[in-house]
Every structure is written in C-alpha cells, then in structure tokens.
Amino acid sequence: MTTYTLQPDTKCASEDVFQVSMPWEIPAFSQPEEHVPEKDQHFHFVESATRAILMGFAQNRRVYLYGPHGSGKSSHIEQVAARLNWPCIRINLDGHITRADLIGRDMVVIRDGKQVTEFVPGMLVWAMQRPIALILDEYDAGRPDVMFVIQRVLETQGKLTLLDQNQVITPHPCFRLFATANTAGQGDATGLYVGTQALNQAQLDRWHVTTELGYMTAEAETQLLQRKLSDLPIEQVQRMVTCAGLLRQAFAQGDLTTLISLRTLIAWGENTLLLNDPHEAMRLSFFNRCDEVERSLVSEIYQRCFDIELS
C-alpha cells in the first residue's frame, strides 16, 4: 500500500492570519496541492469557531461544528485549510452514502488489458492514508450503519480494520477529521431539518471539540456584504442586513417558519446586482420560498426597511 510521507513544513501565526490568539503556532504546508480549497479573500472568521477548527488542525482534535443552515460551517473549515495549504475534501452523508462507499469494495478493474477483481478503497480509507482534512457534512443525517463505521476512527489514533482484507489502516499523521451538522446531535424539534436524527451518545462522546456557529452580528454581516458586493450602495446593504435581522427575530418568536440565512442574504445581494432591482431580487431569493400565510408578515417587515411593499 502506498505510503504518503508529506508533512507540514512551515508554521502559521494564528493572530496574523486569523486574528485569533492561540497558545501555539499552527502547522501548515508551504505549497498548495490540488485538494487545497480556493482562498476567499473576503471571508469573515468567527473567533469561537475558528479557535475550535485550529485546535483540530494543530492538535489533531476531532471537531463537531453545528449551527443553522447557511451560517458558514463547512466554509469556515475550508477557509482555514486554504490558508494553511492543507488538503481538504468534503463528504455529504446523505441517505445514499453506504458503508461500502466509506470502506471500499471488491470491484472489477482492468490490469494489463485483463479484467481482475481487486479491493478499491472507499472515501474514508482513501482520506485516512493521506494528509487530508476530511469534512463529514450533514453529519446528523447519516444512516446509523454508516455512523458506526466512523465511530472507531473518531479516536485520535483511531485505526480502521478492514475485515475482508485482513488489514488495519493506520491514519496518516496529518489526517484530520471534522463534522458539520444543523443540530447538536439531540435531534431537531423545530421541523426545519427534515432527515436529521438524534445521534448515538457514545459517538458524540468521541468528538473532542463541539462548538456552535450561529449567524454573524449585523455589523459583521454588513462588512462582509460590503467586501463581497462592493458595487452595492452602503445604505442598501445596511437595509438588507436590518431586514434579515428582523426576519430572524420573527422566526425566533415563532411568527415565521422560514429562516433567512447568510447564504440567502448574499444571494439576495448578487441577484440585486444582476437585476438592478433589490425588490425583485428579494422575491426570487427568499420571499417566494415562504409560506403563503406568512408572506404578509415578510412584506410588512420589508416595508419597514425599504418603504416598499412586496406583493
């Protein structure tokens, strides 16, 4: 089996790069390779989430990051990896991911012009053998039989036994494991995240670091939109952020069942630039997604911010 000996060859000062103070320098790679995510120069790092993620990279902690949709959970991990030149891949644990997809299976392949049957490693085994940060997205939506495959790997030096191959996979020293989810593993009582489930407590106990990432403050969202959508007038950006804040407040009070995320807010701004019409962009980005009974409330909140009623 191929051995990958690549190791971090430089250090990164967390305060200079991420504006987060840590008691140690962060190992990093001096040169990127094909699996290193593209760097977003406008990305806004949230301190609590960034500290947890840096613990994962620097100290090989298993990090479970949860929070509402569109809050930037996976993006936070990817953007940390991008600045460390650390290879990173994502696996979405939807209902179609099977145990064989993660572990591997015997497959018919062509060798020297002949068909032969050989074991082809799955995504988890492939990643474990390399200096890669693996992100398991939608972790709380994974199938129970798939989740138990991951359980042994969650321990820091967790080795994976391939029973069919009589082989034990030892993780690469620079293999890192992260998970993102919409819930803290206790299930979803809001009804927003259909398909999620309560996670096995023994498995949750194996995650070294658990942290929540919510939506940004209004000031941080305004600054982010200004950086990403510099052609939008500042007054319009401020009104958009205020409107999003009021809509989230209505959701928290139980008056709305649809939550406007940071991702939707950015899409609203992008559509505004494409259409040169913030009101139509709002309809296409969020309003049309809302329940018909609740659209009058959304329109009322919008009118308070923009002096125009959505219809």
Side-chain angles (χ1 to χ4, degrees):
M1 184 171 293
T2 305
T3 301
Y4 295 86
T5 58
L6 188 63
Q7 298 278 353
D9 54 359
T10 185
K11 297 285 186 181
C12 167
S14 61
E15 200 154 0
D16 294 339
V17 178
F18 305 102
Q19 291 74 56
V20 173
S21 178
M22 302 298 281
W24 15 258
E25 289 185 310
I26 316 300
F29 296 91
S30 57
Q31 298 295 327
E33 59 101 63
E34 60 177 338
H35 293 104
V36 174
E38 184 177 350
K39 189 182 297 183
D40 180 357
Q41 299 293 350
H42 304 301
F43 192 81
H44 175 82
F45 289 99
V46 176
E47 182 176 354
S48 58
T50 304
R51 288 176 65 87
I53 294 166
L54 289 176
M55 289 177 66
F57 278 103
Q59 304 297 332
N60 199 13
R61 302 282 86 188
R62 305 302 193 221
V63 181
Y64 183 94
L65 187 62
Y66 72 95
H69 59 283
S71 57
K73 299 180 293 295
S74 300
S75 298
H76 257 76
I77 303 169
E78 286 186 323
Q79 288 306 309
V80 171
R83 283 154 177 79
L84 300 177
N85 284 327
W86 206 297
C88 180
I89 63 171
R90 293 166 60 176
I91 298 176
N92 194 309
L93 292 183
D94 58 48
H96 295 286
I97 292 291
T98 65
R99 185 179 186 278
D101 291 326
L102 295 181
I103 299 297
R105 69 192 84 193
D106 289 329
M107 299 181 65
V108 176
V109 297
I110 304 298
R111 296 289 184 214
D112 299 325
K114 297 180 181 180
Q115 287 188 348
V116 296
T117 301
E118 67 177 43
F119 178 78
V120 177
M123 294 178 287
L124 177 60
V125 172
W126 181 88
M128 286 179 64
Q129 298 172 279
R130 291 164 170 80
I132 278 182
L134 176 62
I135 306 173
L136 301 174
D137 278 330
E138 312 301 341
Y139 191 77
D140 50 357
R143 290 167 41 174
D145 59 323
V146 172
M147 307 307 284
F148 282 114
V149 171
I150 301 168
Q151 186 156 314
R152 179 67 182 91
V153 181
L154 284 174
E155 298 172 14
T156 305
Q157 302 300 327
K159 299 180 180 181
L160 185 63
T161 303
L162 304 180
L163 297 178
D164 295 343
Q165 304 299 312
N166 294 323
Q167 187 177 11
V168 177
I169 303 296
T170 300
H172 188 283
C174 297
F175 171 70
R176 299 292 184 264
L177 189 60
F178 300 87
T180 66
N182 293 126
T183 72
Q186 311 300 327
D188 172 37
T190 66
L192 276 179
Y193 305 113
V194 177
T196 59
Q197 56 195 344
L199 295 175
N200 185 300
Q201 289 296 310
Q203 184 168 121
L204 283 174
D205 192 53
R206 285 171 163 80
W207 289 96
H208 304 134
V209 178
T210 301
T211 190
E212 182 178 10
L213 178 62
Y215 295 128
M216 299 178 187
T217 63
E219 181 182 1
E221 281 191 335
T222 301
Q223 293 175 355
L224 177 63
L225 287 178
Q226 283 183 276
R227 293 196 300 267
K228 292 184 74 72
L229 306 167
S230 57
D231 291 336
L232 283 180
I234 177 58
E235 181 184 359
Q236 185 171 321
V237 170
Q238 291 171 337
R239 290 189 179 195
M240 290 170 60
V241 171
T242 300
C243 182
L246 292 173
L247 289 169
R248 290 170 189 161
Q249 184 178 341
F251 173 85
Q253 294 171 347
D255 298 324
L256 284 180
T257 57
T258 306
L259 183 59
I260 185 167
S261 69
L262 174 60
R263 184 186 296 123
T264 300
L265 193 57
I266 294 173
W268 177 9
E270 292 171 339
N271 291 340
T272 297
L273 293 175
L274 290 173
L275 299 172
N276 197 27
D277 184 347
H279 317 305
E280 179 64 15
M282 171 56 165
R283 293 187 189 95
L284 296 175
S285 304
F286 180 74
F287 185 77
N288 292 343
R289 197 195 314 161
C290 298
D291 186 278
E292 290 187 13
V293 177
E294 299 173 352
R295 289 182 183 179
S296 58
L297 175 59
V298 176
S299 181
E300 178 185 330
I301 291 174
Y302 190 84
Q303 186 176 30
R304 289 166 58 185
C305 299
F306 286 88
D307 298 323
I308 291 180
E309 183 177 351
L310 291 173
S311 59

